[in-house]
Amino acid sequence: MSLIRTSFNYSRTVLLALMFILITGSVAYNDIPKESEPDIDIPIIYVTIRHDGISPEDAERLLIRPIEQELKTIEGIKEMRSTGYEGGANVLLEFDAGFDSDSAMRDVREGVDLAKGSLPAATDDPEIHEVNFSLFPVVVVILSGDAPDRALYRLARELKDAIEGIGEVLQVKIAGDRDEVVQVIVDPLRLESYGLDPALAAATVSSSNMLVAAGVQDTGQGRFSIKVPGLFESVMDIADLPVLVDGDAVVTVGDIADVRRTFRDPETHARVNGKVAVALEVSKRSGENVIATIEKVRAVVAAHQTEWPQTIKDSVQVNYSQDRSDQIRTMLSDLQNSVISAVILVMIVVIAALGVRSGLLVGLAIPGSFLAALLTLYLLDVSLNIVVLFSLILAVGMLVDGAIVVTEFADRKLSEGLSRREAYLQASGRMAAPIIASTATTLAAFLPLVFWPGVVGEFMKFLPMTVLITLGASLAMALIFVPVVGSLIGRPSTLSQRALDNLNAGEAGDLSSVAGPTGVYLSVLRWAVIRPKTILASSVVLLIGMFVVYGQLGPGVEFFPDVEPDNAQVQVRARGNLSIEEQNGIMRNIERRVLDVDGVRTFYTRVGADQNSEEAEDIVGSISLEFGDWRFRPRVKEIFHTIRERVADLAGVVVDLRKEEGGPPVGKPIQIQLSSYYPELLEEAAAMIRTKFDETPGLAVNTQQGAVPVSNFVKREAEQKTGRLRRVDGFRVITVKADVEEGVLADTKLHELQAWLADHPIDPRIQVVFKGEDEEQAKAKAFLGKAFMVALFLMALILITQFNSFYQAALILFAVVMSTVGVLLGLMLTGSPFGIVMNGIGVIALAGIVVNNNIVLIDTYARLRETIGDPIEAVLRTGVQRLRPVMLTTVTTILGLLPMMLGINIDFITREVTHGAPSTQWWTQLSTSIVFGLGFATILTLVVTPSALILQANLSRWWSGRRQRSVSLASS
């Protein structure tokens, strides 16, 4: 209270501080890095070991095991996965999310250095890599056309150097080019005519092209370096190398061989929309603004294009693929429009209820809290992304609660004749305790989410962080800034006479004079408070009944929302030991069938498999699809249906369509990992599970087998190929993976497979683990359950401190639990499955919101009981006084989230209204939880909570009477 009074005494200082927040917050909003998704560290480090010609079995024995032995003791490793393949191996270390990447890299390097001595002498030095979202390309610059390969490669390398000169760019990788080499083709007839050994020609070339350090010459009058030219400068230098010298006769390499410039045999091919291309994959530095980075990349490319010869300009096209700036602009624009919509809807309600001047005072809390939060996030090096923006939408309705309560109280005091200063000073001081308590309980609900472990937690932690900062700022707005401004410009609101009469009646007047909607509510409340046992018993029955009904009839459970993607990938698999040209032919065939599919903007084809990939080993190539504007194209499921129809008749080829994952990366929905000390047991078990997958409707299965001929120098027999050997934490493993069909819930299929495995037991020496989405879903479910319990405990601690009553604290927490009835009801009405992540967060967020109105209502009741002896009268007057602020806070929160729940987006510049934008699909589940849960909880607050207060008074009266009778009997 002393701080509040001091702020009123120094009102000019407070106004200056408010201006500082508004100005610096606006600057921070303009400068803050903007991302589509949070920039998180993927806790993965992998080691690649190359050894030409080594078999997968030998790679496991000679390469993987020595590395594993040294790395397995590193602290913080969550899982170690290894793969042995023909020509090398890799060992991947997955750490706990939030790990110290520098320390982990140092430990891995030390372990690899120790293991080097155990590796074969012919093995290349192991390479250590760190996986990071920042290393993924933010844009791909594609050069394509009819120009010669050499010209395309030269342009690509020049652009690479120019783009890497941009400060925000981390690195540029070129895909689709080939290294230049000089090819020396020896003619056996010419070689024989000179009587030369083929090895002599090879030795002549390999022993040349070296820098010879010849030292210096000191002449006494100076010191001069001596240089012996020995490096090849041109193809002719190689052709002129002497192979044999006999007197004056010299036989050169050019005499016995054809020497020419060429390229290495291709290991991959790249095409864009069917045309041969070279792609520059541009990655930005961590924390840099994506939009600004891509704009600079485009500017550099445009500047270089102006310098190209006209023939090159006519034959080379420049395209941009995977341009995340367009996606980010669209998503940020959609979410910013949602923020504006939420603010407008909230302000309409507030102004309608409190009048223009009081409404604008309440509205001051919105930009003030937002800009203070953005300034704080900017100082913490947090980017502005979809999670942060939705957090602001979520906070819109909550952050005005305190300002509404203070302004509404001051409004009543102004109508009683108090001065502006005294009215707002009394309002701020009187409501400080309940506002602080209600804000603290909301913060307590979100606080446990900050400690969410794993990649999912790293992705979602920005939501509680933003809400905590925003609500903390809203507390200062409600108790200091808004009251101080109100003391300077506040006026009594232009309420109707009936509204004023109702408020006066609630204070100390005749309750029978209350009219209008408030009178209707008073009648319902009067009926409820004389039947408190019936009301509370009905509430408990409803709670239990809803859980039973949802368990039987509910639409199921899912991990993360299914969001309409902007990108997808067509993975092509084919069996056999295929050459790169055979793989290229398969990809050409598929391209011809799908290049004219409607709705796809760019087809980016890459031929060849990545040895470090954890996908199926028989992938021969992939086509990255970049979709057009979601408003004007078919939905992705329709595009996928068209592609499947066009490639259905391809024999020996499997086409796997993969949507871009929404949210944190978790892999395929269904993954069953089989591991054992006895590798020979795995094939049969994997085949049995794969057969079950084939028979289960709603699943697309990946396999890892093929056939290959052995050497021509031995007897040839048909053998099963050992493509890649995989290990996890030292065990040989086989993983069976599957996607689910559109509209099928992975959780439902997982339960089917788990039930089937229980009835068809596998050899006990094999360990069966469900990985991927199911693993992350189980972890998220466990954490959110614990977070909810911790939140309830923290709220109970605050409530008991506030009211000094176990009963009243338990009453408010009961209202929190009862609010889940509204959540389940909303899911059943909308036909939406319960999302473990989004609905789970929604329930926890709802808990923090529900307590606010209950705290203020019970606080008002406790103060009225100090002067009113009849508890029923005190409850009725409490209801009349608190109806307007309770409804205001409820309606503002619901209206703030309603556009997001309905998927409606309004562009206030173009005046375009759209429905179903991908940015809104992310948050529909969470918004639905809060809207329906809070709507139901409001009924609890206005009817059940007052009934419970009467029940407490009745129990207290009964207990006091019993004690008095006991004392009377004892005295007699």
Side-chain angles (χ1 to χ4, degrees):
M1 185 62 184
S2 60
L3 176 61
I4 294 172
R5 188 173 293 276
T6 301
S7 66
F8 274 75
N9 293 334
Y10 294 91
S11 58
R12 292 177 179 80
T13 304
V14 173
L15 292 176
L16 186 62
L18 179 60
M19 290 182 61
F20 175 80
I21 291 173
L22 296 178
I23 294 172
T24 56
S26 300
V27 173
Y29 173 73
N30 184 64
D31 294 343
I32 192 170
K34 296 172 178 65
E35 302 272 2
S36 59
E37 298 176 5
D39 188 7
I40 63 175
D41 290 331
I42 302 177
I44 290 177
I45 296 175
Y46 65 94
V47 182
T48 301
I49 315 109
R50 293 185 175 88
H51 186 122
D52 288 341
I54 197 169
S55 67
E57 294 90 349
D58 289 337
E60 178 186 34
R61 180 169 55 89
L62 299 176
L63 305 182
I64 292 176
R65 287 180 177 172
I67 296 289
E68 285 183 341
Q69 190 67 27
E70 298 297 337
L71 298 184
K72 68 181 182 181
T73 57
I74 294 178
E75 185 178 358
I77 291 181
K78 176 183 174 183
E79 187 175 75
M80 180 165 58
R81 303 192 290 272
S82 309
T83 304
Y85 48 84
E86 186 174 340
N90 61 60
V91 179
L92 184 147
L93 307 175
E94 181 178 354
F95 291 81
D96 295 322
F99 75 130
D100 184 343
S101 59
D102 294 334
S103 175
M105 283 290 288
R106 184 169 56 251
D107 292 341
V108 171
R109 287 194 182 97
E110 291 175 357
V112 170
D113 288 340
L114 291 174
K116 282 182 181 178
S118 303
L119 300 178
T123 302
D124 295 342
D125 280 346
E127 299 177 1
I128 303 172
H129 306 272
E130 182 179 5
V131 178
N132 191 300
F133 269 147
S134 297
L135 300 179
F136 296 166
V138 294
V139 67
V140 179
V141 184
I142 302 169
L143 307 180
S144 61
D146 299 326
D149 290 349
R150 198 180 306 278
L152 280 179
Y153 300 159
R154 179 177 58 80
L155 293 177
R157 288 164 188 153
E158 290 176 356
L159 279 177
K160 176 180 185 294
D161 294 339
I163 294 172
E164 285 185 335
I166 300 173
E168 292 85 350
V169 171
L170 178 66
Q171 65 179 16
V172 179
K173 292 183 179 179
I174 301 180
D177 72 335
R178 291 185 284 162
D179 292 334
E180 283 196 77
V181 296
V182 176
Q183 194 174 60
V184 181
I185 303 176
V186 178
D187 185 339
L189 293 178
R190 283 188 278 171
L191 194 68
E192 184 178 352
S193 68
Y194 288 111
L196 295 176
D197 186 354
L200 179 62
T204 299
V205 176
S206 62
S207 62
S208 302
N209 197 37
M210 294 187 299
L211 179 66
V212 179
V216 297
Q217 182 181 17
D218 192 339
T219 65
Q221 296 181 347
R223 184 178 176 89
F224 305 94
S225 298
I226 300 176
K227 180 180 178 182
V228 180
L231 298 178
F232 296 146
E233 299 290 342
S234 67
V235 173
M236 292 306 300
D237 289 344
I238 302 174
D240 292 339
L241 279 177
V243 179
L244 177 65
V245 179
D246 185 6
D248 294 335
V250 178
V251 179
T252 65
V253 171
D255 294 330
I256 61 173
D258 292 329
V259 183
R260 59 194 180 197
R261 292 174 61 187
T262 185
F263 297 98
R264 287 188 183 276
D265 291 339
E267 297 180 356
T268 182
H269 290 281
R271 287 187 293 275
V272 174
N273 297 330
K275 296 183 179 180
V276 175
V278 180
L280 291 86
E281 299 175 345
V282 182
S283 305
K284 74 171 186 67
R285 296 185 185 277
S286 180
E288 297 292 346
N289 191 315
V290 175
I291 296 175
T293 301
I294 295 176
E295 286 177 349
K296 291 184 179 180
V297 170
R298 284 178 175 267
V300 166
V301 174
H304 267 259
Q305 281 184 276
T306 61
E307 301 173 1
W308 291 351
Q310 190 60 45
T311 54
I312 294 294
K313 290 181 181 178
D314 295 338
S315 59
V316 177
Q317 291 81 46
V318 178
N319 300 96
Y320 296 89
S321 177
Q322 303 176 35
D323 186 344
R324 295 176 62 188
S325 65
D326 290 340
Q327 176 187 357
I328 293 170
R329 280 193 185 94
T330 301
M331 193 165 287
L332 292 180
S333 175
D334 289 346
L335 288 170
Q336 286 167 352
N337 288 331
S338 297
V339 171
I340 295 172
S341 301
V343 171
I344 291 174
L345 290 172
V346 167
M347 289 306 301
I348 289 173
V349 173
V350 172
I351 291 174
L354 300 178
V356 175
R357 192 170 294 244
S358 297
L360 291 177
L361 276 175
V362 172
L364 179 64
I366 298 176
S369 301
F370 277 2
L371 294 174
L374 288 171
L375 176 61
T376 306
L377 293 172
Y378 176 76
L379 296 175
L380 294 175
D381 290 330
V382 175
S383 64
L384 185 66
N385 51 66
I386 57 173
V387 180
V388 171
L389 278 172
F390 175 76
S391 305
L392 297 178
I393 297 172
L394 176 62
V396 167
M398 293 188 287
L399 64 86
V400 297
D401 288 359
I404 287 175
V405 171
V406 170
T407 305
E408 194 269 345
F409 189 94
D411 198 38
R412 285 194 281 128
K413 294 302 178 183
L414 284 170
S415 65
E416 295 173 4
L418 269 66
S419 66
R420 290 183 299 203
R421 175 185 171 85
E422 192 59 31
Y424 279 92
L425 183 60
Q426 281 194 25
S428 183
R430 165 65 181 82
M431 291 299 175
I435 289 175
I436 292 173
S438 61
T439 304
T441 52
T442 306
L443 297 178
F446 284 96
L447 184 62
L449 296 177
V450 176
F451 304 98
W452 195 338
V455 175
V456 178
E458 289 292 303
F459 186 89
M460 295 301 300
K461 72 179 182 182
F462 296 97
L463 186 147
M465 180 190 300
T466 305
V467 171
L468 290 174
I469 295 171
T470 306
L471 292 185
S474 74
L475 185 62
M477 289 291 163
L479 297 180
I480 296 178
F481 291 106
V482 169
V484 168
V485 175
S487 68
L488 300 174
I489 65 171
R491 285 183 184 175
S493 63
T494 55
L495 295 175
S496 65
Q497 187 61 44
R498 186 173 66 184
L500 288 173
D501 292 341
N502 289 343
L503 290 174
N504 293 331
E507 285 285 347
D510 183 8
L511 289 175
S512 62
S513 64
V514 176
T518 306
V520 175
Y521 164 65
L522 184 60
S523 301
V524 173
L525 183 60
R526 199 187 301 274
W527 177 88
V529 295
I530 61 176
R531 301 171 179 84
K533 295 180 182 178
T534 303
I535 297 296
L536 288 176
S538 301
S539 301
V540 174
V541 171
L542 180 61
L543 175 65
I544 298 173
M546 180 54 70
F547 276 100
V548 173
V549 171
Y550 188 84
Q552 297 295 322
L553 305 177
V557 175
E558 68 178 4
F559 176 61
F560 213 81
D562 186 16
V563 179
E564 182 77 5
D566 292 308
N567 301 281
Q569 193 174 75
V570 181
Q571 289 184 342
V572 181
R573 297 184 284 116
R575 298 188 179 192
N577 192 26
L578 302 175
S579 69
I580 187 64
E581 295 306 326
E582 289 174 311
Q583 296 176 16
N584 191 33
I586 293 173
M587 297 304 297
R588 284 278 193 189
N589 189 10
I590 292 176
E591 280 179 326
R592 284 192 292 269
R593 295 166 178 255
V594 303
L595 279 179
D596 61 343
V597 170
D598 184 35
V600 183
R601 179 189 301 163
T602 307
F603 295 84
Y604 174 37
T605 304
R606 294 196 67 173
V607 182
D610 182 2
Q611 291 286 9
N612 294 321
S613 171
E614 294 191 291
E615 298 288 350
E617 65 183 78
D618 56 355
I619 292 177
V620 298
S622 63
I623 303 176
S624 297
L625 309 178
E626 184 179 12
F627 300 122
D629 193 319
W630 66 272
R631 296 171 295 178
F632 311 115
R633 63 167 167 83
R635 290 293 173 259
V636 169
K637 65 179 180 180
E638 299 172 21
I639 296 174
F640 277 9
H641 179 70
T642 302
I643 293 176
R644 288 192 182 100
E645 284 186 335
R646 295 191 179 187
V647 300
D649 62 333
L650 289 176
V653 176
V654 178
V655 177
D656 189 12
L657 303 179
R658 301 286 303 276
K659 291 197 299 185
E660 182 182 37
E661 288 188 33
V666 294
K668 286 203 172 187
I670 298 178
Q671 300 184 34
I672 300 180
Q673 176 181 290
L674 308 177
S675 60
S676 177
Y677 272 126
Y678 307 94
E680 64 275 6
L681 302 176
L682 296 176
E683 291 286 346
E684 182 179 355
M688 183 179 75
I689 292 177
R690 183 258 167 84
T691 302
K692 175 59 180 175
F693 272 33
D694 288 338
E695 297 171 351
T696 303
L699 303 182
V701 181
N702 281 333
T703 62
Q704 303 175 3
Q705 299 176 3
V708 61
V710 294
S711 170
N712 292 328
F713 300 99
V714 298
K715 181 180 178 181
R716 295 196 294 175
E717 296 179 353
E719 293 280 342
Q720 180 171 325
K721 176 185 176 182
T722 303
R724 294 182 188 174
L725 299 179
R726 302 184 187 274
R727 294 160 61 90
V728 173
D729 294 334
F731 291 88
R732 181 80 69 82
V733 302
I734 290 181
T735 304
V736 186
K737 303 179 182 180
D739 283 318
V740 293
E741 291 181 358
E742 190 75 28
V744 176
L745 292 179
D747 186 72
T748 303
K749 294 301 172 184
L750 279 168
H751 286 307
E752 289 183 22
L753 292 170
Q754 289 167 345
W756 179 83
L757 283 173
D759 296 333
H760 300 78
I762 292 179
D763 191 309
R765 292 173 291 179
I766 298 176
Q767 183 181 9
V768 181
V769 179
F770 284 81
K771 305 286 285 186
E773 183 177 301
D774 179 64
E775 181 182 31
E776 295 298 330
Q777 177 173 308
K779 291 178 182 177
K781 183 178 180 181
F783 170 77
L784 290 173
K786 294 175 184 176
F788 186 63
M789 298 307 296
V790 171
L792 288 179
F793 175 79
L794 293 175
M795 287 189 287
L797 196 64
I798 296 169
L799 294 172
I800 291 173
T801 303
Q802 168 72 10
F803 297 114
N804 195 28
S805 168
F806 284 106
Y807 181 87
Q808 292 180 352
L811 171 59
I812 296 176
L813 295 181
F814 175 71
V816 169
V817 176
M818 280 294 298
S819 66
T820 57
V821 173
V823 175
L824 299 180
L825 181 63
L827 293 175
M828 293 187 69
L829 291 176
T830 58
S832 303
F834 186 92
I836 294 296
V837 174
M838 290 304 182
N839 287 119
I841 295 175
V843 169
I844 294 175
L846 182 62
I849 300 171
V850 167
V851 298
N852 293 351
N853 287 331
N854 283 274
I855 287 176
V856 177
L857 187 142
I858 293 176
D859 178 77
T860 301
Y861 169 78
R863 290 184 180 272
L864 288 176
R865 283 285 281 151
E866 295 174 359
T867 57
I868 300 175
D870 183 8
I872 291 182
E873 182 184 354
V875 160
L876 295 177
R877 293 189 182 279
T878 298
V880 172
Q881 286 187 35
R882 302 315 311 161
L883 177 63
R884 185 170 69 150
V886 165
M887 292 304 298
L888 274 176
T889 55
T890 299
V891 171
T892 52
T893 303
I894 290 177
L895 286 179
L897 293 172
L898 197 59
M900 194 66 69
M901 187 192 86
L902 299 176
I904 296 174
N905 188 274
I906 304 173
D907 191 321
F908 291 92
I909 297 177
T910 64
R911 297 191 295 275
E912 181 183 13
V913 180
T914 57
H915 179 269
S919 58
T920 62
Q921 294 174 14
W922 278 76
W923 310 107
T924 299
Q925 290 179 340
L926 202 158
S927 303
T928 301
S929 296
I930 297 178
V931 168
F932 278 93
L934 185 57
F936 185 81
T938 302
I939 301 174
L940 301 177
T941 301
L942 294 175
V943 178
V944 178
T945 298
S947 301
L949 291 173
I950 294 300
L951 181 62
Q952 180 192 23
N954 293 343
L955 290 173
S956 178
R957 187 185 304 129
W958 171 81
W959 181 252
S960 298
R962 181 177 178 181
R963 289 185 60 185
Q964 289 178 359
R965 288 194 298 272
S966 299
V967 171
S968 299
L969 289 173
S971 61
S972 61

